[in-house]
Amino acid sequence: MREFIGGCWRLAFLDDMVCRHELDGVMVKGGPVVFPPKKESIPYRFELFLEMYAEDTPEEWEKIYRQTWKRAKALRGK
């Protein structure tokens, strides 16, 4: 359980970073995508991921985390 909670924090941080980078400069309905401050966004994502992935198996969770890590790692090259 402790690993899952820590993983959700790491996933929240990675997901926030990836989304901010991927959506930077994107326009929706004539305006730019705007994110809340990280101090609000990351805890929100953490709670969301706790809820979303609570029923997943460790293998399913690992796959989700690995995919997000790959997206974050790919940003380093940009």
Side-chain angles (χ1 to χ4, degrees), residues 1-57:
M1 182 61 135
R2 186 176 285 170
E3 282 182 38
F4 175 68
I5 291 171
C8 283
W9 276 116
R10 289 187 304 276
L11 184 61
F13 176 80
L14 287 173
D15 188 65
D16 187 77
M17 179 183 69
V18 168
C19 290
R20 287 174 188 272
H21 187 274
E22 290 179 348
L23 296 173
D24 185 39
V26 172
M27 302 290 278
V28 176
K29 296 184 181 179
V33 173
V34 178
F35 287 93
K38 288 182 181 185
K39 69 180 182 176
E40 295 172 16
S41 178
I42 293 174
Y44 171 79
R45 289 169 193 269
F46 167 73
E47 293 292 331
L48 181 66
F49 294 151
L50 282 178
E51 223 177 276
M52 286 174 57
Y53 303 125
E55 302 297 320
D56 286 358
T57 66

Side-chain angles (χ1 to χ4, degrees), residues 1 3-4 53-66:
M1 182 61 135
E3 282 182 38
F4 175 68
Y53 303 125
E55 302 297 320
D56 286 358
T57 66
E59 294 79 18
E60 291 169 325
W61 163 250
E62 181 63 32
K63 181 180 176 185
I64 292 159
Y65 185 82
R66 209 172 34 251

